[in-house]
Amino acid sequence: MKTVLCFVAMCVALTASRDPTETYPRTAVLDSKLQIFWKFNATHITIETHLSAGGWTGLGLTSNASESSDVIIGYVEHNKGVIADYHYAGHQPPTKDASQDVTLVYAHSDNEGSVMVFVRALDTGDIQDDIAIHPGINHVIWAYTEIDPTNLAYHDVHRGGADIKLLDKCQPSVGK
Ligand code: HEM
């Protein structure tokens, strides 16, 4: 299940059915229905998620997905987005962090699925529940559901993990 994904230097739509809201330097296809695009600067990462389904989207960082992960879960319904910062102990519903360290900056939904753009600090400073994003390989986990986004239901087979080079040391893009 663990896949090594190479980031692409230019924003190339690999299987996406829609274009991202702006040109991002990085993208990864996590699943036939889930693609992410991202950019970063010295302090923050901006991530755009494209889900070709009607449920919630979850994206997280982990050292061990069965034990402890830092996840962000969001959904868009009637163009209104909802997002939150969670702690996922594995195989059970995640719990919301006391410190909410994610900001939703764009949300869109239509009959093709949903798009969210959110920003978080590379290191939120929440040592209780968050994992800092570091240069090089980060183990990313993802999950989604196909329907009923407001219900944080079990993802079933729609989950996975990937080793992704989220950041590198050369030429970070400017702006949040
Ligand atoms: C809605 C609450 C959630 C429940 C009830 C839940 C439950 C479960 C269960 C029972 C499994 C083991 C069976 C299987 O492989 O499907 C599992 C695995 C997994 N879940 Fe979740 N999960 C939830 C949310 C999430 C979220 C938000 C993510 C990621 C952002 C995630 C990522 C994973 C991954 C990567 C696995 C496979 C690796 C492993 O077995 O630990 N889950 N989950």
Side-chain angles (χ1 to χ4, degrees):
M1 189 251 298
K2 196 167 152 181
T3 321
V4 176
L5 290 177
C6 297
F7 68 84
V8 288
M10 294 300 291
C11 177
V12 179
L14 298 175
T15 64
S17 56
R18 71 168 98 219
D19 291 332
T21 59
E22 63 177 277
T23 301
Y24 289 87
R26 308 282 165 83
T27 183
V29 176
L30 300 177
D31 177 87
S32 61
K33 292 188 175 172
L34 180 59
Q35 180 167 11
I36 59 171
F37 303 83
W38 70 99
K39 65 180 182 178
F40 58 91
N41 63 20
T43 57
H44 287 78
I45 187 166
T46 299
I47 300 177
E48 177 164 332
T49 60
H50 287 196
L51 179 67
S52 305
W56 56 261
T57 303
L59 205 57
L61 296 165
T62 189
S63 43
N64 183 335
S66 305
E67 289 176 7
S68 178
S69 306
D70 169 19
V71 302
I72 287 168
I73 304 171
Y75 64 86
V76 191
E77 196 178 45
H78 308 308
N79 273 326
K80 185 174 176 341
V82 175
I83 204 161
D85 191 3
Y86 287 80
H87 181 78
Y88 180 50
H91 302 188
Q92 57 192 289
T95 49
K96 267 189 192 164
D97 293 0
S99 172
Q100 287 295 305
D101 298 298
V102 62
T103 305
L104 186 66
V105 294
Y106 175 84
H108 171 80
S109 63
D110 55 29
N111 56 11
E112 286 177 32
S114 62
V115 175
M116 291 185 293
V117 180
F118 56 87
V119 182
R120 71 152 257 184
L122 299 179
D123 184 353
T124 66
D126 178 7
I127 53 171
Q128 178 89 16
D129 290 322
D130 286 347
I131 295 175
I133 301 171
H134 52 77
I137 298 292
N138 292 259
H139 189 59
V140 172
I141 58 168
W142 54 269
Y144 64 85
T145 51
E146 300 214 84
I147 53 167
D148 195 7
T150 58
N151 170 18
L152 193 51
Y154 173 48
H155 43 66
D156 202 356
V157 296
H158 308 298
R159 90 285 184 280
D163 285 334
I164 302 182
K165 196 172 176 185
L166 288 174
L167 317 177
D168 59 17
K169 288 173 187 159
C170 71
Q171 304 276 323
S173 48
V174 177
K176 277 191 190 180

